[in-house]
Amino acid sequence: VWTSNGTGTLSDETTLTPTYTPGAGETGIITLTLTAQPNSGCSTAVVSTMTITINGSATASAGADATICEGSTHTLSGSATNYVSYVWTTSGTGSFNNPTTTLTPVYTPSAADIAAGTVTLTLNVTANAPCSNTSASMVLTITSSPEADAGVDVTICQAQPLQ
């Protein structure tokens, strides 16, 4: 007979090949115990254990979409859980100050990013094995700075309208 110390369920616990299904949100080390009852004439049951390590699924958030003005930088607000490593990438040609060492790097748009008007910034997360990797993206909109040209200086006579 198999038993466990986890919150999940064991099916076919009276066979040598049961199935353990983790409980909702269950992570950590679970111990499965197999107890074999003796044949007649023997008096001591035999016990063997094994452990299952359940890693949490990796998560990623790149933060909310944002808008900045041309000539500005943007500090990202990423977050991640249950990961080995991460890296920020861009669909453009701008740069991050620390794309692999902080979840909140500063992004500096390039001239091409500014001309395009938007860039997608993606947080790529490498999960703890054997879990799947994940990613999340946000869109950074870059608005052009306003331009103004009042024209050349002129001199007019008093009471003469200027057009």
Side-chain angles (χ1 to χ4, degrees):
V1 173
W2 287 91
T3 58
S4 84
N5 69 342
T7 61
T9 58
L10 270 168
S11 61
D12 299 325
E13 63 271 2
T14 59
T15 69
L16 290 177
T17 56
T19 300
Y20 182 79
T21 304
E26 184 174 31
T27 60
I29 298 174
I30 308 304
T31 301
L32 298 181
T33 303
L34 174 61
T35 304
Q37 297 301 324
N39 289 323
S40 62
C42 298
S43 61
T44 306
V46 177
V47 175
S48 180
T49 62
M50 70 169 291
T51 60
I52 302 171
T53 301
I54 304 172
N55 290 331
S57 298
T59 65
S61 171
D65 292 349
T67 300
I68 62 171
C69 292
E70 175 183 357
S72 298
T73 60
H74 179 68
T75 301
L76 291 143
S77 59
S79 63
T81 61
N82 303 317
Y83 61 89
V84 174
S85 64
Y86 58 84
V87 63
W88 284 95
T89 59
T90 176
S91 64
T93 57
S95 62
F96 298 94
N97 67 335
N98 292 307
T100 61
T101 59
T102 180
L103 289 166
T104 57
V106 174
Y107 183 76
T108 303
S110 67
D113 293 347
I114 295 166
T118 63
V119 63
T120 300
L121 306 176
T122 303
L123 176 60
N124 300 290
V125 174
T126 302
N128 291 308
C131 299
S132 298
N133 299 336
T134 189
S135 64
S137 298
M138 60 87 62
V139 175
L140 181 63
T141 301
I142 307 151
T143 58
S144 298
S145 297
E147 294 181 20
D149 182 359
V152 296
D153 294 343
V154 296
T155 302
I156 62 171
C157 289
Q158 183 180 18
Q160 179 183 5
L162 175 64
Q163 294 183 352

